[in-house]
Each structure stands twice: as C-alpha cells, then as structure tokens.
Amino acid sequence: MQQFDLNLSSGLEKVSLPSDDVGEPEGAEIRFQNQFYDSSQVTDFYNVLYSMVDWQEESLWIAGRQRKVPRLIAWYGDPEARYRYSGKVHHPEPWFEPLLSIKKKLETTLGCDFNSVLCNLYRHGEDSMGWHADDEAELGPKPVIASVSLGATRAFHLKHKKNPKLRHKMLLTSGSLLVMQGTTQQYWLHQVPKEPKVTKARINLTFRHVIR
Ligand SMILES: O=C(O)CCC(=O)C(=O)O
Ligand SMILES: [Mn+2]
C-alpha cells in the first residue's frame, strides 16, 4: 500500500523509495528536510516572492489545441542560463532578494552551484504539474535539483519510468527542501497532482545548474 511520507525530518535526510526491485543503478537519490526555513522566514519570502516575481501564464500546444499551463511560472538566473522547457527557450530574469540568499544557503548546505531557478506558483489545488523528469540535456546527466516550498502543503509523487508500479508519495510542507540528484531524473518521473480541496497558494522554487 502506498503511504505518504510524513516528512518530519529536522535535518536533510535520505528518502527511501521502493527501488529494491529495480536495483541500485536505477535508484532515485532524494533527500528531504522539513524545516529548511522556519515559519517567520517563510512568511517573509512568500510575501516578497508572491508580489515581486514576474509571474507568467504560459500556453502549450497539446494535440493541436492550445492549453494554459495550470500554474504560473518565472525563470531567474545568471544571464547565460537559458533553459528550454515546455518546448520554449526561457531567458532568465536577473536575481533579486530573497532568491539570491536562498540560492547561497542551498549552495553552502549542498556544496554545489546553482545558476538559475524556476519559480512555480500554484494558485490553488486545481493548479498542478504533470508527470515529467527534469532530464533536459542542458541540466547534464546527473543534475542536482533543489526544490524549496513556501505556502500550502502539496503532495509530490514519484514513479519509476519503466516500472510504474514503483511509486512513492510525499508531502511538501511549507519551508521544506527536497533535493533530487544522481540518477533520479534518468529513471524516475515526478508530479504535483491536482488537489481540489486545497484553497491556498504555494510557491515552489527549483534551483538548477544549466550547463552551457
Ligand atoms: O512544485 C514542485 O514541487 C515540483 C516542481 C517541478 O517539478 C519542476 O519545477 O520541475
Ligand atoms: Mn520537475
């Protein structure tokens, strides 16, 4: 039976996925910290980012029809960190606070560099992100993706690409940090499903290193 990870960790801890059947080479390498930021920091960050980020509504052509992406997005980073997702090349807007200080804290904690961040605003539970992997060539073969959540708690699902019975569910709480690295993107998909009962908004920041 699938169960939600209660995410009560106080430090950055390894998350075990049901990868035993596929073995080590196809494993996901995921770590999670429940309170990477405390509630007063979260409130400050959330308020500034909600009003200052240049949130964009995007559309995609799916099966010959144009559909709105069910969330708002924005891309910030170093000038050269261009990134293609949803079939479009995104040019980063310049860093501003608190994105820069969050980036620095992540770099110190994780010992790696990030040159860009994708900001996602889930306005309510009808906003979502479908199954995908962050496996674009410009992120390199084993990208480290650091994902900070602010606001409403949302579910986060993972499933193995070749063996979709292998699944894991987590709750991404406000102030939490989720790190995906190693072969996670190569072998696993992730999603933020719709949750119609959720009425509050959530901001998610996924810090990445785009290779040029
Ligand atoms: O909102 C989330 O937690 C996931 C975001 C994500 O997967 C992405 O930006 O690629
Ligand atoms: Mn992703």
Side-chain angles (χ1 to χ4, degrees):
M1 192 177 46
Q2 290 170 19
Q3 286 189 324
F4 278 104
D5 183 328
L6 286 178
N7 299 339
L8 295 176
S9 58
S10 55
L12 193 56
E13 288 175 6
K14 185 179 183 306
V15 176
S16 295
L17 266 64
S19 52
D20 293 354
D21 298 356
V22 289
E24 198 50 43
E26 299 193 5
E29 217 178 298
I30 295 181
R31 288 183 287 160
F32 183 78
Q33 182 167 344
N34 190 44
Q35 278 213 320
F36 189 64
Y37 287 112
D38 66 30
S39 56
S40 72
Q41 290 170 303
V42 165
T43 304
D44 290 349
F45 292 163
Y46 182 94
N47 289 337
V48 175
L49 293 171
Y50 190 88
S51 57
M52 298 287 289
V53 167
D54 183 17
W55 297 110
Q56 302 286 326
E57 187 172 61
E58 297 223 317
S59 299
L60 283 179
W61 284 96
I62 299 171
R65 286 176 59 190
Q66 203 170 26
R67 288 173 197 262
K68 283 182 182 164
V69 172
R71 63 190 173 278
L72 303 185
I73 59 174
W75 180 247
Y76 288 82
D78 296 351
E80 72 280 5
R82 289 182 298 275
Y83 187 42
R84 177 181 286 275
Y85 65 88
S86 302
K88 292 177 190 157
V89 177
H90 290 77
H91 294 268
E93 297 192 49
W95 294 107
F96 69 96
E97 290 297 349
L99 291 177
L100 211 46
S101 61
I102 298 173
K103 168 175 124 72
K104 284 189 187 137
K105 178 165 160 146
L106 290 169
E107 289 175 337
T108 309
T109 306
L110 302 175
C112 56
D113 290 339
F114 298 105
N115 60 7
S116 47
V117 59
L118 176 61
C119 306
N120 294 298
L121 173 61
Y122 301 82
R123 294 158 288 188
H124 40 60
E126 294 290 346
D127 275 355
S128 60
M129 189 176 295
W131 287 113
H132 70 283
D134 299 316
D135 54 2
E136 293 85 359
E138 57 259 63
L139 295 180
K142 290 184 177 175
V144 180
I145 294 173
S147 165
V148 173
S149 293
L150 309 166
T153 295
R154 292 293 298 260
F156 184 79
H157 297 173
L158 291 131
K159 76 174 173 190
H160 192 269
K161 287 183 185 177
K162 286 190 282 187
N163 186 350
K165 284 187 190 148
L166 294 177
R167 286 176 180 240
H168 187 71
K169 293 183 177 183
M170 304 176 64
L171 293 175
L172 300 186
T173 45
S174 191
S176 69
L177 167 64
L178 175 85
V179 183
M180 297 186 276
Q181 59 190 90
T183 53
T184 307
Q185 307 304 327
Q186 192 178 344
Y187 294 111
W188 293 76
L189 301 172
H190 53 274
Q191 73 163 352
V192 177
K194 290 191 191 306
E195 292 183 80
K197 288 190 180 139
V198 174
T199 53
K200 294 210 173 107
R202 165 178 181 259
I203 291 173
N204 171 259
L205 310 169
T206 55
F207 288 81
R208 300 145 190 258
H209 188 93
V210 173
I211 298 163
R212 302 235 319 119

